[in-house]
């Protein structure tokens, strides 16, 4: 026994190339993984940390994906569940780009309308379209409103 305190720091490895999605609301990382189509059977190299303490001493989730850059549509979906997220592009271990996320004012093909009778839920080839009004998303076809738990409606 040395009497030394055990180190309590949890380190997730840095990555060589890829994307780090940082400052995800605590507990939301798994929804981010779902948005990115990362399941138990995908072959990507992914690290996930949930409820870790950030420099600002608040809890956050972090997702690191090697050798992948995100598409605009993926970032739009992530913005809905993690409005404070930072997307860091890593090359050769360096952060070469850091950007926040913005919920676009119009979401095409991102949300499923909760109204079963909406034209976007029939066999017509009509892509869903929602306009953001504050924190609510309003269907452009039937005026249905998604006001809470938006992430449950992400396609
Ligand atoms: N990161 C990584 N691999 C690298 C470089 C950075 O996984 N090769 C991760 C860091 O662990 C951190 C995020 O990418 O979670 C952003 O890195 P950096 O900008 O260096 O950290 P901060 O200054 O803490 O970022 P912020 O100010 O956005 O909190
Ligand atoms: Zn609708």
């Amino acid at each position: 026994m040395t009497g030394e305190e055990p180190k309590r720091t949890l380190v997730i490895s840095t990555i060589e190339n890829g994307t780090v999605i940082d400052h995800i609301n605590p507990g939301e990382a798994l929804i981010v993984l779902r948005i990115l189509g990362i399941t138990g059977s995908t072959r990507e190299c992914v690290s996930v940390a949930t409820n870790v303490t950030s420099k600002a001493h608040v809890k956050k989730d972090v997702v690191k994906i090697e050798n992948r850059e995100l598409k605009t549509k993926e970032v739009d979906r992530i913005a809905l569940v993690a409005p404070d997220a930072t997307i860091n592009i890593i090359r050769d271990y360096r952060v070469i780009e850091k950007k926040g996320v913005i919920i676009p004012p119009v979401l095409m093909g991102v949300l499923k309308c909760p109204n079963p009778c909406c034209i976007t839920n029939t066999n017509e080839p009509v892509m869903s379209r929602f306009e953001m009004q504050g924190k609510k998303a309003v269907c452009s076809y039937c005026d249905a409103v998604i006001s809470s738990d938006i992430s449950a409606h992400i396609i």
Side-chain angles (χ1 to χ4, degrees):
M1 287 290 277
T2 62
E4 272 178 35
E5 282 284 310
K7 283 208 171 111
R8 294 174 60 87
T9 324
L10 173 68
V11 180
I12 328 170
S13 304
T14 54
I15 60 171
E16 184 174 356
N17 289 296
T19 302
V20 175
I21 310 163
D22 201 354
H23 306 291
I24 302 168
N25 294 339
E28 306 277 31
L30 297 182
I31 299 174
V32 171
L33 294 182
R34 176 169 73 78
I35 289 170
L36 297 176
I38 296 166
T39 64
S41 57
T42 41
R43 303 180 71 92
E44 285 163 298
C45 192
V46 179
S47 335
V48 180
T50 67
N51 295 304
V52 291
T53 309
S54 74
K55 273 193 298 198
H57 302 288
V58 287
K59 300 267 184 194
K60 65 171 183 179
D61 284 9
V62 183
V63 171
K64 302 187 181 190
I65 313 158
E66 297 205 36
N67 302 315
R68 173 159 168 189
E69 294 194 10
L70 306 187
K71 301 191 178 79
T72 310
K73 275 264 157 115
E74 293 172 327
V75 176
D76 289 350
R77 285 172 166 79
I78 289 170
L80 286 170
V81 295
D84 302 321
T86 313
I87 313 266
N88 299 274
I89 313 288
I90 314 291
R91 288 217 189 111
D92 282 332
Y93 288 104
R94 279 192 296 269
V95 178
I96 60 146
E97 193 186 330
K98 183 188 286 284
K99 59 183 182 206
V101 296
I102 303 167
I103 300 174
V106 176
L107 295 157
M108 299 287 300
V110 169
L111 295 169
K112 181 175 161 57
C113 184
N115 170 9
C117 301
C118 179
I119 189 164
T120 60
N121 286 326
T122 64
N123 287 329
E124 302 298 326
V126 183
M127 185 184 271
S128 80
R129 183 183 192 280
F130 279 79
E131 287 188 24
M132 293 305 298
Q133 290 180 11
K135 292 195 165 170
K136 295 177 183 169
V138 182
C139 176
S140 304
Y141 293 98
C142 74
D143 288 335
V145 177
I146 303 174
S147 55
S148 61
D149 201 11
I150 275 195
S151 59
H153 298 270
I154 295 174
I155 298 167

